[in-house]
Amino acid sequence: MAHGPDLAELERPALEAALAERGHLRFHAGQIFRWLYRRGVTDFGAMTDLSRELRADLASAFRATTPALAHHERSIDGTQKFLLRLADGRSVESVFIPDTPSNTFCISTQVGCAMACAFCLTGRMGLVRNLTAGEIVGQVRVLADALQMRDAPFNIVLMGMGEPLHNYDETMKALRVLTDAQGFAMPARRITLSTVGVLPALERLASEPVMPNLAISLHAPTDAQRGQLVPVNKKYGVADIIAAAKRFPLRKRSRITFEYVLLAGVNDSPQDARRLSRLLNGVKSKVNLIPLNAAAGIPFDRPSDAAVDSFARILSEHGVTVSVRKSRGRDIRAACGQLIVEGQKKSAAQQLAVAAFGDR
Ligand code: SAH
């Protein structure tokens, strides 16, 4: 394979500049984008609307890297999990969730995660490294190919491994590439960024040209409870998050989603529901309840369906729009919070040993 800059890491303006530097017309960047993202072609020789000279020069000066599909599993409910191997041998997981009601790609932004939320398996790995923009978009390229969905509409949720706002620059770059009119041309409203609430980055996001939908992982209505579940709450507390959410610029008719993982006996009482609805009073929001996906080593229980229903009913009675996330792909460990890469578990255990967060 050729060496040189990786075209999969370049936004279109940067690709135009790289072409110009080698004496080519900037215009070819759009053609190359269409090959890479619309047709899934990374072999420069096959880019037949480019001149032979340009193809040869591209092949000598650049490369175009794609994560390798290492493993693929299908759940009885139709959810599919993809293990992708990256150029340095690390791996990430991406998940395809059919008809929710749209087809959704759940994409990772980091290998592991530094946030260490108490109920999340990925959090147990610690942060191994950030993904590059090319690796984030690469997951979409691989899934679109594997699922033969290059021409089909789908949504993207940044809810896989990692905290997208903890890998801000590469995540934003990935969003610009995904929404580029010559590439996938994803409408920004089909992309949802889910964050635990890294506030300075959230403020920055408010002024970005490409504005995804926003989901904030809240999980508890008080700092005392949230601090036990989400370590970063000690830095950015509940009131700060709500204030930032109120200031956040939203598209017409759109709202912020608050995700709330329900843990039996921890944050699922009627009082918690009433507190949550008071907290969200005046915030253009909806609540997505996620009954815990339990796993070995996660010291919490999933509430009963009746408890989930009654929590949802209280919210709804207080005027909060609420939905309950159906757990998908649990049999293949593809559900929320279950993404952890085998073979990296050892380093996860080592990280755990040094992590200083309580007795999880
Ligand atoms: N770091 C981002 C996005 C990744 S996780 C964030 O925190 O929002 C996507 C969602 O799955 C988050 O709301 C997260 O809290 C939730 N989640 C994590 N572990 C879970 C588990 N075991 N069961 C259910 N949901 C979980």
Side-chain angles (χ1 to χ4, degrees):
M1 190 196 273
H3 296 284
D6 186 353
L7 295 196
E9 297 293 349
L10 298 186
E11 292 175 59
R12 191 149 53 91
L15 177 54
E16 288 172 358
L19 289 170
E21 207 169 283
R22 299 188 65 80
H24 304 299
L25 293 174
R26 289 172 179 270
F27 146 86
H28 295 306
Q31 290 173 300
I32 295 169
F33 253 54
R34 288 197 290 277
W35 283 110
L36 286 178
Y37 300 107
R38 287 202 197 158
R39 296 178 205 151
V41 171
T42 52
D43 171 7
F44 299 119
M47 300 184 177
T48 48
D49 59 358
L50 306 178
S51 72
R52 251 172 233 289
E53 295 74 24
L54 177 53
R55 280 185 259 166
D57 189 53
L58 289 175
S60 72
F62 300 106
R63 66 206 157 96
T65 310
T66 307
L69 180 48
H71 190 65
H72 175 206
E73 273 178 283
R74 178 190 265 275
S75 155
I76 43 170
D77 67 20
T79 300
Q80 298 184 48
K81 185 166 81 166
F82 298 81
L83 177 70
L84 307 189
R85 189 90 57 217
L86 308 170
D88 68 348
R90 299 284 187 192
S91 11
V92 283
E93 289 181 329
S94 321
V95 180
F96 169 66
I97 311 146
D99 357 292
T100 51
S102 315
N103 291 318
T104 300
F105 291 7
C106 179
I107 297 299
S108 297
T109 54
Q110 297 179 312
V111 182
C113 184
M115 297 297 125
C117 297
F119 45 77
C120 178
L121 276 186
T122 308
R124 297 222 147 183
M125 292 176 62
L127 178 63
V128 178
R129 72 166 170 86
N130 281 330
L131 294 183
T132 64
E135 290 168 337
I136 297 170
V137 178
Q139 296 167 65
V140 180
R141 288 165 46 218
V142 171
L143 266 61
D145 266 349
L147 297 158
Q148 301 189 315
M149 284 181 59
R150 288 251 159 221
D151 301 315
F154 52 84
N155 294 342
I156 293 177
V157 294
L158 301 180
M159 296 187 186
M161 303 169 76
E163 166 49 50
L165 295 188
H166 191 217
N167 181 17
Y168 190 87
D169 291 338
E170 295 301 308
T171 298
M172 292 307 131
K173 187 171 156 188
L175 293 184
R176 290 190 294 270
V177 172
L178 287 167
T179 53
D180 190 298
Q182 304 295 327
F184 277 113
M186 286 285 302
R189 65 183 154 71
R190 281 190 161 270
I191 305 177
T192 299
L193 183 152
S194 177
T195 177
V196 75
V198 183
L199 280 196
L202 193 57
E203 308 277 355
R204 252 179 101 190
L205 180 66
S207 59
E208 288 289 341
V210 178
M211 183 62 67
N213 300 312
L214 183 61
I216 299 179
S217 291
L218 191 61
H219 307 320
T222 65
D223 283 325
Q225 288 163 298
R226 193 168 189 265
Q228 298 292 315
L229 303 174
V230 179
V232 78
N233 192 72
K234 295 185 182 90
K235 240 169 149 176
Y236 313 116
V238 171
D240 299 330
I241 288 181
I242 298 299
K246 282 185 175 157
R247 285 194 301 272
F248 199 80
L250 291 171
R251 265 186 296 276
K252 257 197 202 137
R253 287 190 299 278
S254 109
R255 316 176 202 197
I256 293 178
T257 300
F258 285 94
E259 292 158 290
Y260 194 106
V261 173
L262 280 169
L263 310 165
V266 174
N267 63 357
D268 66 340
S269 72
Q271 187 188 30
D272 293 326
R274 287 192 295 272
R275 280 190 173 143
L276 178 61
S277 53
R278 266 200 303 280
L279 194 61
L280 297 182
N281 196 357
V283 190
K284 280 183 72 181
S285 61
K286 53 189 170 187
V287 170
N288 190 214
L289 298 174
I290 317 175
L292 175 75
N293 293 307
I298 298 293
F300 300 102
D301 297 315
R302 182 188 181 92
S304 67
D305 289 351
V308 173
D309 284 350
S310 107
F311 195 93
R313 198 165 343 101
I314 296 172
L315 290 180
S316 169
E317 281 164 7
H318 286 76
V320 176
T321 307
V322 56
S323 57
V324 178
R325 190 178 297 179
K326 235 176 100 186
S327 173
R328 304 290 297 262
R330 259 195 290 170
D331 55 328
I332 56 166
R333 283 179 295 138
C336 299
Q338 299 197 312
L339 302 184
I340 182 166
V341 180
E342 307 286 339
Q344 285 170 3
K345 274 184 182 159
K346 187 147 169 269
S347 78
Q350 285 161 352
Q351 302 247 14
L352 240 197
V354 295
F357 299 115
D359 59 355
R360 296 186 330 276

